[in-house]
Amino acid sequence: MKASPLGPAAITRDGAKITLLMNAGLAVDLDILNDTGAEGIGLCRTEHMFFDAARITAVRQMILAEDEAGRRVALAKLLPEQREDFRQIFEVMAGLPVTIRLLDPPLHEFLPHEESEFAEVAEAAGVDAEKLKRRAAELFEFNPMLGHRGCRLGVTYPEIYEMQARAIFEAACALETAPVPEIMIPLVATKRELELMKDVVDRTAEAVFAEQGKRIDYLVGTMIELPRAALKAGEIAQVGAFFSFGTNDLTQTTLGVSRDDASRFLTTYVDKGIYPQDPFVSLDVEGVGELISLAVERGRATRPDIKLGICGEHGGDPKSIAFCETTGLDYVSASPYRVPIARLAAAQAALQR
Ligand code: PEP
Ligand code: MG
């Protein structure tokens, strides 16, 4: 790929560097990478790959399957597509860091609603549409953001993460210059969850390496986006090689404020001086920031070389970036159009130290 026209990322007076990465879901976003000067992908949200019209039926078939065998039939349809997604990304990124987050969103985002959608899935799965509707009703959740999402999907249905890991390793092994994929597990609260998910990734890696007669390096790390994970960062760092602070969910769960509904009352909160700014836009440095600082300290105490970054929307907010810089994070990953602002803010924060 072309060298960035913007040169290296923010370099502090003492020579330390905070790397600017980009959040990207699909290979097509990578054209933007050159223009922004981002030095890699800090968050590849793989769920975006599943919303594609050509794949959504297989995804729905997987979700609505009644057992592992049924899920595996649907996952086998998704594997080649997912492998091709990663092949394209690795090829364009040509050795730059790529952090791939395994499937995260609440399953209801994928569930069919229309009669025609149920009919399509029924045909693909060879089952009765009425039976699928009953299954969809069983999967209903009152609070999906705190429900069956993130690594809870991987814990209950390990075959989903197994398929994604296989797609990553098969794509990476097929390239002449193999990338070093950084595989990120979402919504972890406990060390045990990460252990279980790392085990799925490691076992899949070994299986692919044996098949291909080739090994590649990779990392397994986690999002820190729940207060418990921040508190237990010392233990979690025994398993994870990197942390990425998911400050969207970390804000939601620390403040107990829904990220989807907050705008109805947060303006009043800001007007009355409760928060200086919308905490989903600019990090609540006093509260959420304290959890981040604590997790940085505890994570580094366990694993001094742990790689630490942020990938929530705050990664594009200058004040939040200044906080990340003083807290000693290694990288900030922002939405593509905010990377240039993030670069400037990181440089300013570094110079003000
Ligand atoms: C986050 O929670 O900050 C995050 C990056 O994940 P998502 O927004 O996809 O939940
Ligand atoms: Mg999140």
PDB file of all heavy atoms in Angstrom, residues 252-284:
ATOM      1  N   GLN A 252     -21.485   3.143  28.992  1.00  0.00           N
ATOM      2  CA  GLN A 252     -22.858   2.669  29.219  1.00  0.00           C
ATOM      3  C   GLN A 252     -22.971   1.888  30.529  1.00  0.00           C
ATOM      4  O   GLN A 252     -23.886   2.098  31.324  1.00  0.00           O
ATOM      5  CB  GLN A 252     -23.250   1.785  28.033  1.00  0.00           C
ATOM      6  CG  GLN A 252     -24.498   0.965  28.211  1.00  0.00           C
ATOM      7  CD  GLN A 252     -25.015   0.396  26.890  1.00  0.00           C
ATOM      8  OE1 GLN A 252     -25.913   0.953  26.298  1.00  0.00           O
ATOM      9  NE2 GLN A 252     -24.456  -0.706  26.444  1.00  0.00           N
ATOM     10  N   THR A 253     -22.010   1.000  30.757  1.00  0.00           N
ATOM     11  CA  THR A 253     -22.138   0.114  31.916  1.00  0.00           C
ATOM     12  C   THR A 253     -21.629   0.760  33.207  1.00  0.00           C
ATOM     13  O   THR A 253     -22.071   0.393  34.291  1.00  0.00           O
ATOM     14  CB  THR A 253     -21.394  -1.220  31.654  1.00  0.00           C
ATOM     15  OG1 THR A 253     -20.064  -0.942  31.207  1.00  0.00           O
ATOM     16  CG2 THR A 253     -22.113  -2.056  30.606  1.00  0.00           C
ATOM     17  N   THR A 254     -20.724   1.709  33.108  1.00  0.00           N
ATOM     18  CA  THR A 254     -20.237   2.376  34.321  1.00  0.00           C
ATOM     19  C   THR A 254     -21.258   3.403  34.811  1.00  0.00           C
ATOM     20  O   THR A 254     -21.538   3.502  36.001  1.00  0.00           O
ATOM     21  CB  THR A 254     -18.876   3.066  34.052  1.00  0.00           C
ATOM     22  OG1 THR A 254     -17.961   2.082  33.587  1.00  0.00           O
ATOM     23  CG2 THR A 254     -18.328   3.714  35.301  1.00  0.00           C
ATOM     24  N   LEU A 255     -21.824   4.144  33.867  1.00  0.00           N
ATOM     25  CA  LEU A 255     -22.810   5.163  34.246  1.00  0.00           C
ATOM     26  C   LEU A 255     -24.211   4.568  34.391  1.00  0.00           C
ATOM     27  O   LEU A 255     -25.109   5.217  34.924  1.00  0.00           O
ATOM     28  CB  LEU A 255     -22.846   6.271  33.183  1.00  0.00           C
ATOM     29  CG  LEU A 255     -21.847   7.411  33.306  1.00  0.00           C
ATOM     30  CD1 LEU A 255     -20.420   6.930  33.453  1.00  0.00           C
ATOM     31  CD2 LEU A 255     -21.943   8.328  32.087  1.00  0.00           C
ATOM     32  N   GLY A 256     -24.397   3.356  33.866  1.00  0.00           N
ATOM     33  CA  GLY A 256     -25.746   2.762  33.896  1.00  0.00           C
ATOM     34  C   GLY A 256     -26.699   3.535  32.999  1.00  0.00           C
ATOM     35  O   GLY A 256     -27.883   3.661  33.288  1.00  0.00           O
ATOM     36  N   VAL A 257     -26.156   4.071  31.896  1.00  0.00           N
ATOM     37  CA  VAL A 257     -26.957   4.878  30.968  1.00  0.00           C
ATOM     38  C   VAL A 257     -26.919   4.203  29.597  1.00  0.00           C
ATOM     39  O   VAL A 257     -25.835   3.926  29.086  1.00  0.00           O
ATOM     40  CB  VAL A 257     -26.353   6.302  30.854  1.00  0.00           C
ATOM     41  CG1 VAL A 257     -27.022   7.081  29.730  1.00  0.00           C
ATOM     42  CG2 VAL A 257     -26.502   7.051  32.173  1.00  0.00           C
ATOM     43  N   SER A 258     -28.103   3.957  29.031  1.00  0.00           N
ATOM     44  CA  SER A 258     -28.162   3.289  27.727  1.00  0.00           C
ATOM     45  C   SER A 258     -27.582   4.175  26.627  1.00  0.00           C
ATOM     46  O   SER A 258     -28.005   5.316  26.451  1.00  0.00           O
ATOM     47  CB  SER A 258     -29.625   2.955  27.405  1.00  0.00           C
ATOM     48  OG  SER A 258     -29.776   2.792  26.018  1.00  0.00           O
ATOM     49  N   ARG A 259     -26.630   3.621  25.897  1.00  0.00           N
ATOM     50  CA  ARG A 259     -26.008   4.422  24.835  1.00  0.00           C
ATOM     51  C   ARG A 259     -26.992   4.740  23.718  1.00  0.00           C
ATOM     52  O   ARG A 259     -26.806   5.676  22.969  1.00  0.00           O
ATOM     53  CB  ARG A 259     -24.757   3.708  24.287  1.00  0.00           C
ATOM     54  CG  ARG A 259     -25.019   2.346  23.719  1.00  0.00           C
ATOM     55  CD  ARG A 259     -23.736   1.545  23.525  1.00  0.00           C
ATOM     56  NE  ARG A 259     -23.213   1.666  22.180  1.00  0.00           N
ATOM     57  CZ  ARG A 259     -22.241   0.895  21.695  1.00  0.00           C
ATOM     58  NH1 ARG A 259     -21.676  -0.038  22.473  1.00  0.00           N
ATOM     59  NH2 ARG A 259     -21.814   1.042  20.481  1.00  0.00           N
ATOM     60  N   ASP A 260     -28.065   3.952  23.620  1.00  0.00           N
ATOM     61  CA  ASP A 260     -29.036   4.181  22.547  1.00  0.00           C
ATOM     62  C   ASP A 260     -30.128   5.178  22.937  1.00  0.00           C
ATOM     63  O   ASP A 260     -30.781   5.743  22.078  1.00  0.00           O
ATOM     64  CB  ASP A 260     -29.702   2.852  22.148  1.00  0.00           C
ATOM     65  CG  ASP A 260     -28.669   1.859  21.642  1.00  0.00           C
ATOM     66  OD1 ASP A 260     -27.774   2.283  20.890  1.00  0.00           O
ATOM     67  OD2 ASP A 260     -28.741   0.677  22.025  1.00  0.00           O
ATOM     68  N   ASP A 261     -30.346   5.362  24.235  1.00  0.00           N
ATOM     69  CA  ASP A 261     -31.474   6.198  24.665  1.00  0.00           C
ATOM     70  C   ASP A 261     -31.047   7.467  25.398  1.00  0.00           C
ATOM     71  O   ASP A 261     -31.886   8.286  25.770  1.00  0.00           O
ATOM     72  CB  ASP A 261     -32.391   5.398  25.614  1.00  0.00           C
ATOM     73  CG  ASP A 261     -32.833   4.095  24.980  1.00  0.00           C
ATOM     74  OD1 ASP A 261     -33.286   4.129  23.833  1.00  0.00           O
ATOM     75  OD2 ASP A 261     -32.699   3.038  25.630  1.00  0.00           O
ATOM     76  N   ALA A 262     -29.747   7.623  25.637  1.00  0.00           N
ATOM     77  CA  ALA A 262     -29.271   8.668  26.551  1.00  0.00           C
ATOM     78  C   ALA A 262     -29.580  10.089  26.093  1.00  0.00           C
ATOM     79  O   ALA A 262     -29.769  10.983  26.919  1.00  0.00           O
ATOM     80  CB  ALA A 262     -27.770   8.518  26.738  1.00  0.00           C
ATOM     81  N   SER A 263     -29.657  10.291  24.776  1.00  0.00           N
ATOM     82  CA  SER A 263     -29.778  11.668  24.290  1.00  0.00           C
ATOM     83  C   SER A 263     -31.047  12.347  24.810  1.00  0.00           C
ATOM     84  O   SER A 263     -31.114  13.557  24.904  1.00  0.00           O
ATOM     85  CB  SER A 263     -29.731  11.685  22.765  1.00  0.00           C
ATOM     86  OG  SER A 263     -30.735  10.841  22.286  1.00  0.00           O
ATOM     87  N   ARG A 264     -32.054  11.543  25.215  1.00  0.00           N
ATOM     88  CA  ARG A 264     -33.307  12.144  25.698  1.00  0.00           C
ATOM     89  C   ARG A 264     -33.109  12.978  26.948  1.00  0.00           C
ATOM     90  O   ARG A 264     -33.838  13.911  27.188  1.00  0.00           O
ATOM     91  CB  ARG A 264     -34.327  11.048  26.016  1.00  0.00           C
ATOM     92  CG  ARG A 264     -34.796  10.367  24.776  1.00  0.00           C
ATOM     93  CD  ARG A 264     -35.954   9.444  25.088  1.00  0.00           C
ATOM     94  NE  ARG A 264     -36.038   8.469  24.016  1.00  0.00           N
ATOM     95  CZ  ARG A 264     -36.588   7.282  24.141  1.00  0.00           C
ATOM     96  NH1 ARG A 264     -37.115   6.914  25.280  1.00  0.00           N
ATOM     97  NH2 ARG A 264     -36.626   6.459  23.118  1.00  0.00           N
ATOM     98  N   PHE A 265     -32.163  12.589  27.781  1.00  0.00           N
ATOM     99  CA  PHE A 265     -32.024  13.354  29.033  1.00  0.00           C
ATOM    100  C   PHE A 265     -30.623  13.912  29.266  1.00  0.00           C
ATOM    101  O   PHE A 265     -30.425  14.722  30.156  1.00  0.00           O
ATOM    102  CB  PHE A 265     -32.459  12.512  30.239  1.00  0.00           C
ATOM    103  CG  PHE A 265     -31.693  11.222  30.376  1.00  0.00           C
ATOM    104  CD1 PHE A 265     -30.486  11.189  31.070  1.00  0.00           C
ATOM    105  CD2 PHE A 265     -32.162  10.053  29.809  1.00  0.00           C
ATOM    106  CE1 PHE A 265     -29.774  10.007  31.194  1.00  0.00           C
ATOM    107  CE2 PHE A 265     -31.442   8.865  29.923  1.00  0.00           C
ATOM    108  CZ  PHE A 265     -30.253   8.845  30.615  1.00  0.00           C
ATOM    109  N   LEU A 266     -29.659  13.491  28.461  1.00  0.00           N
ATOM    110  CA  LEU A 266     -28.276  13.929  28.750  1.00  0.00           C
ATOM    111  C   LEU A 266     -28.069  15.430  28.548  1.00  0.00           C
ATOM    112  O   LEU A 266     -27.252  16.037  29.229  1.00  0.00           O
ATOM    113  CB  LEU A 266     -27.275  13.132  27.915  1.00  0.00           C
ATOM    114  CG  LEU A 266     -26.830  11.819  28.558  1.00  0.00           C
ATOM    115  CD1 LEU A 266     -25.825  11.103  27.662  1.00  0.00           C
ATOM    116  CD2 LEU A 266     -26.220  12.014  29.946  1.00  0.00           C
ATOM    117  N   THR A 267     -28.847  16.037  27.655  1.00  0.00           N
ATOM    118  CA  THR A 267     -28.699  17.489  27.454  1.00  0.00           C
ATOM    119  C   THR A 267     -29.007  18.203  28.772  1.00  0.00           C
ATOM    120  O   THR A 267     -28.285  19.122  29.185  1.00  0.00           O
ATOM    121  CB  THR A 267     -29.690  17.974  26.366  1.00  0.00           C
ATOM    122  OG1 THR A 267     -29.735  16.988  25.353  1.00  0.00           O
ATOM    123  CG2 THR A 267     -29.284  19.297  25.787  1.00  0.00           C
ATOM    124  N   THR A 268     -30.055  17.773  29.449  1.00  0.00           N
ATOM    125  CA  THR A 268     -30.404  18.376  30.742  1.00  0.00           C
ATOM    126  C   THR A 268     -29.271  18.139  31.739  1.00  0.00           C
ATOM    127  O   THR A 268     -28.931  19.025  32.535  1.00  0.00           O
ATOM    128  CB  THR A 268     -31.711  17.743  31.285  1.00  0.00           C
ATOM    129  OG1 THR A 268     -32.671  17.758  30.246  1.00  0.00           O
ATOM    130  CG2 THR A 268     -32.219  18.480  32.513  1.00  0.00           C
ATOM    131  N   TYR A 269     -28.704  16.951  31.699  1.00  0.00           N
ATOM    132  CA  TYR A 269     -27.599  16.630  32.613  1.00  0.00           C
ATOM    133  C   TYR A 269     -26.404  17.560  32.382  1.00  0.00           C
ATOM    134  O   TYR A 269     -25.759  17.996  33.324  1.00  0.00           O
ATOM    135  CB  TYR A 269     -27.180  15.161  32.433  1.00  0.00           C
ATOM    136  CG  TYR A 269     -27.827  14.264  33.467  1.00  0.00           C
ATOM    137  CD1 TYR A 269     -29.201  14.238  33.616  1.00  0.00           C
ATOM    138  CD2 TYR A 269     -27.047  13.479  34.313  1.00  0.00           C
ATOM    139  CE1 TYR A 269     -29.796  13.440  34.578  1.00  0.00           C
ATOM    140  CE2 TYR A 269     -27.630  12.686  35.278  1.00  0.00           C
ATOM    141  CZ  TYR A 269     -29.003  12.669  35.408  1.00  0.00           C
ATOM    142  OH  TYR A 269     -29.575  11.903  36.374  1.00  0.00           O
ATOM    143  N   VAL A 270     -26.166  17.852  31.125  1.00  0.00           N
ATOM    144  CA  VAL A 270     -25.037  18.752  30.814  1.00  0.00           C
ATOM    145  C   VAL A 270     -25.415  20.177  31.234  1.00  0.00           C
ATOM    146  O   VAL A 270     -24.633  20.868  31.892  1.00  0.00           O
ATOM    147  CB  VAL A 270     -24.667  18.663  29.314  1.00  0.00           C
ATOM    148  CG1 VAL A 270     -23.614  19.699  28.945  1.00  0.00           C
ATOM    149  CG2 VAL A 270     -24.162  17.253  28.978  1.00  0.00           C
ATOM    150  N   ASP A 271     -26.656  20.593  30.934  1.00  0.00           N
ATOM    151  CA  ASP A 271     -27.112  21.945  31.308  1.00  0.00           C
ATOM    152  C   ASP A 271     -27.013  22.151  32.811  1.00  0.00           C
ATOM    153  O   ASP A 271     -26.688  23.229  33.286  1.00  0.00           O
ATOM    154  CB  ASP A 271     -28.578  22.155  30.888  1.00  0.00           C
ATOM    155  CG  ASP A 271     -28.708  22.286  29.378  1.00  0.00           C
ATOM    156  OD1 ASP A 271     -27.671  22.455  28.710  1.00  0.00           O
ATOM    157  OD2 ASP A 271     -29.854  22.201  28.879  1.00  0.00           O
ATOM    158  N   LYS A 272     -27.313  21.122  33.580  1.00  0.00           N
ATOM    159  CA  LYS A 272     -27.307  21.255  35.051  1.00  0.00           C
ATOM    160  C   LYS A 272     -25.932  20.968  35.649  1.00  0.00           C
ATOM    161  O   LYS A 272     -25.789  20.845  36.867  1.00  0.00           O
ATOM    162  CB  LYS A 272     -28.364  20.319  35.658  1.00  0.00           C
ATOM    163  CG  LYS A 272     -29.760  20.731  35.248  1.00  0.00           C
ATOM    164  CD  LYS A 272     -30.837  20.096  36.095  1.00  0.00           C
ATOM    165  CE  LYS A 272     -32.196  20.553  35.565  1.00  0.00           C
ATOM    166  NZ  LYS A 272     -33.114  21.038  36.510  1.00  0.00           N
ATOM    167  N   GLY A 273     -24.942  20.791  34.797  1.00  0.00           N
ATOM    168  CA  GLY A 273     -23.563  20.642  35.286  1.00  0.00           C
ATOM    169  C   GLY A 273     -23.261  19.286  35.903  1.00  0.00           C
ATOM    170  O   GLY A 273     -22.295  19.129  36.657  1.00  0.00           O
ATOM    171  N   ILE A 274     -24.094  18.282  35.607  1.00  0.00           N
ATOM    172  CA  ILE A 274     -23.838  16.943  36.183  1.00  0.00           C
ATOM    173  C   ILE A 274     -22.654  16.294  35.451  1.00  0.00           C
ATOM    174  O   ILE A 274     -21.760  15.740  36.085  1.00  0.00           O
ATOM    175  CB  ILE A 274     -25.119  16.079  36.112  1.00  0.00           C
ATOM    176  CG1 ILE A 274     -26.201  16.738  36.984  1.00  0.00           C
ATOM    177  CG2 ILE A 274     -24.840  14.646  36.566  1.00  0.00           C
ATOM    178  CD1 ILE A 274     -27.598  16.171  36.816  1.00  0.00           C
ATOM    179  N   TYR A 275     -22.678  16.374  34.138  1.00  0.00           N
ATOM    180  CA  TYR A 275     -21.506  16.000  33.335  1.00  0.00           C
ATOM    181  C   TYR A 275     -21.107  17.219  32.507  1.00  0.00           C
ATOM    182  O   TYR A 275     -21.989  17.936  32.004  1.00  0.00           O
ATOM    183  CB  TYR A 275     -21.831  14.837  32.384  1.00  0.00           C
ATOM    184  CG  TYR A 275     -22.140  13.539  33.100  1.00  0.00           C
ATOM    185  CD1 TYR A 275     -23.376  12.913  32.929  1.00  0.00           C
ATOM    186  CD2 TYR A 275     -21.205  12.944  33.945  1.00  0.00           C
ATOM    187  CE1 TYR A 275     -23.667  11.718  33.589  1.00  0.00           C
ATOM    188  CE2 TYR A 275     -21.489  11.755  34.607  1.00  0.00           C
ATOM    189  CZ  TYR A 275     -22.726  11.155  34.428  1.00  0.00           C
ATOM    190  OH  TYR A 275     -23.012   9.992  35.073  1.00  0.00           O
ATOM    191  N   PRO A 276     -19.787  17.459  32.357  1.00  0.00           N
ATOM    192  CA  PRO A 276     -19.376  18.638  31.595  1.00  0.00           C
ATOM    193  C   PRO A 276     -19.772  18.551  30.118  1.00  0.00           C
ATOM    194  O   PRO A 276     -19.996  19.552  29.464  1.00  0.00           O
ATOM    195  CB  PRO A 276     -17.846  18.662  31.756  1.00  0.00           C
ATOM    196  CG  PRO A 276     -17.466  17.299  32.234  1.00  0.00           C
ATOM    197  CD  PRO A 276     -18.668  16.703  32.904  1.00  0.00           C
ATOM    198  N   GLN A 277     -19.848  17.333  29.604  1.00  0.00           N
ATOM    199  CA  GLN A 277     -20.206  17.110  28.188  1.00  0.00           C
ATOM    200  C   GLN A 277     -20.897  15.770  28.089  1.00  0.00           C
ATOM    201  O   GLN A 277     -20.797  14.954  29.024  1.00  0.00           O
ATOM    202  CB  GLN A 277     -18.924  17.044  27.356  1.00  0.00           C
ATOM    203  CG  GLN A 277     -18.752  18.216  26.418  1.00  0.00           C
ATOM    204  CD  GLN A 277     -17.534  18.019  25.550  1.00  0.00           C
ATOM    205  OE1 GLN A 277     -16.416  18.066  26.055  1.00  0.00           O
ATOM    206  NE2 GLN A 277     -17.738  17.798  24.268  1.00  0.00           N
ATOM    207  N   ASP A 278     -21.556  15.504  26.983  1.00  0.00           N
ATOM    208  CA  ASP A 278     -22.159  14.191  26.777  1.00  0.00           C
ATOM    209  C   ASP A 278     -21.070  13.126  26.964  1.00  0.00           C
ATOM    210  O   ASP A 278     -20.095  13.093  26.196  1.00  0.00           O
ATOM    211  CB  ASP A 278     -22.730  14.145  25.346  1.00  0.00           C
ATOM    212  CG  ASP A 278     -23.368  12.795  25.015  1.00  0.00           C
ATOM    213  OD1 ASP A 278     -23.013  11.796  25.658  1.00  0.00           O
ATOM    214  OD2 ASP A 278     -24.201  12.756  24.092  1.00  0.00           O
ATOM    215  N   PRO A 279     -21.200  12.255  27.975  1.00  0.00           N
ATOM    216  CA  PRO A 279     -20.123  11.292  28.248  1.00  0.00           C
ATOM    217  C   PRO A 279     -19.932  10.232  27.158  1.00  0.00           C
ATOM    218  O   PRO A 279     -18.945   9.509  27.177  1.00  0.00           O
ATOM    219  CB  PRO A 279     -20.547  10.635  29.566  1.00  0.00           C
ATOM    220  CG  PRO A 279     -22.003  10.892  29.679  1.00  0.00           C
ATOM    221  CD  PRO A 279     -22.309  12.148  28.920  1.00  0.00           C
ATOM    222  N   PHE A 280     -20.880  10.168  26.218  1.00  0.00           N
ATOM    223  CA  PHE A 280     -20.669   9.256  25.093  1.00  0.00           C
ATOM    224  C   PHE A 280     -19.854   9.927  23.983  1.00  0.00           C
ATOM    225  O   PHE A 280     -19.371   9.269  23.078  1.00  0.00           O
ATOM    226  CB  PHE A 280     -22.009   8.749  24.532  1.00  0.00           C
ATOM    227  CG  PHE A 280     -22.660   7.754  25.453  1.00  0.00           C
ATOM    228  CD1 PHE A 280     -23.678   8.156  26.313  1.00  0.00           C
ATOM    229  CD2 PHE A 280     -22.231   6.443  25.503  1.00  0.00           C
ATOM    230  CE1 PHE A 280     -24.260   7.256  27.192  1.00  0.00           C
ATOM    231  CE2 PHE A 280     -22.809   5.528  26.378  1.00  0.00           C
ATOM    232  CZ  PHE A 280     -23.820   5.937  27.228  1.00  0.00           C
ATOM    233  N   VAL A 281     -19.725  11.245  24.090  1.00  0.00           N
ATOM    234  CA  VAL A 281     -18.934  11.984  23.098  1.00  0.00           C
ATOM    235  C   VAL A 281     -17.539  12.263  23.656  1.00  0.00           C
ATOM    236  O   VAL A 281     -16.529  12.009  23.011  1.00  0.00           O
ATOM    237  CB  VAL A 281     -19.648  13.318  22.727  1.00  0.00           C
ATOM    238  CG1 VAL A 281     -18.758  14.165  21.830  1.00  0.00           C
ATOM    239  CG2 VAL A 281     -20.986  13.028  22.065  1.00  0.00           C
ATOM    240  N   SER A 282     -17.514  12.792  24.888  1.00  0.00           N
ATOM    241  CA  SER A 282     -16.230  13.098  25.510  1.00  0.00           C
ATOM    242  C   SER A 282     -16.130  12.292  26.804  1.00  0.00           C
ATOM    243  O   SER A 282     -17.051  12.329  27.634  1.00  0.00           O
ATOM    244  CB  SER A 282     -16.152  14.603  25.793  1.00  0.00           C
ATOM    245  OG  SER A 282     -14.826  14.962  26.030  1.00  0.00           O
ATOM    246  N   LEU A 283     -15.063  11.578  26.935  1.00  0.00           N
ATOM    247  CA  LEU A 283     -14.927  10.611  28.028  1.00  0.00           C
ATOM    248  C   LEU A 283     -15.183  11.222  29.404  1.00  0.00           C
ATOM    249  O   LEU A 283     -14.712  12.314  29.702  1.00  0.00           O
ATOM    250  CB  LEU A 283     -13.493  10.066  27.988  1.00  0.00           C
ATOM    251  CG  LEU A 283     -13.254   8.789  28.781  1.00  0.00           C
ATOM    252  CD1 LEU A 283     -13.854   7.592  28.062  1.00  0.00           C
ATOM    253  CD2 LEU A 283     -11.751   8.579  28.972  1.00  0.00           C
ATOM    254  N   ASP A 284     -15.927  10.523  30.229  1.00  0.00           N
ATOM    255  CA  ASP A 284     -16.097  10.904  31.634  1.00  0.00           C
ATOM    256  C   ASP A 284     -14.776  10.558  32.342  1.00  0.00           C
ATOM    257  O   ASP A 284     -14.604   9.472  32.891  1.00  0.00           O
ATOM    258  CB  ASP A 284     -17.282  10.110  32.221  1.00  0.00           C
ATOM    259  CG  ASP A 284     -17.272  10.108  33.739  1.00  0.00           C
ATOM    260  OD1 ASP A 284     -16.879  11.124  34.338  1.00  0.00           O
ATOM    261  OD2 ASP A 284     -17.652   9.056  34.317  1.00  0.00           O
TER     262      ASP A 284
END
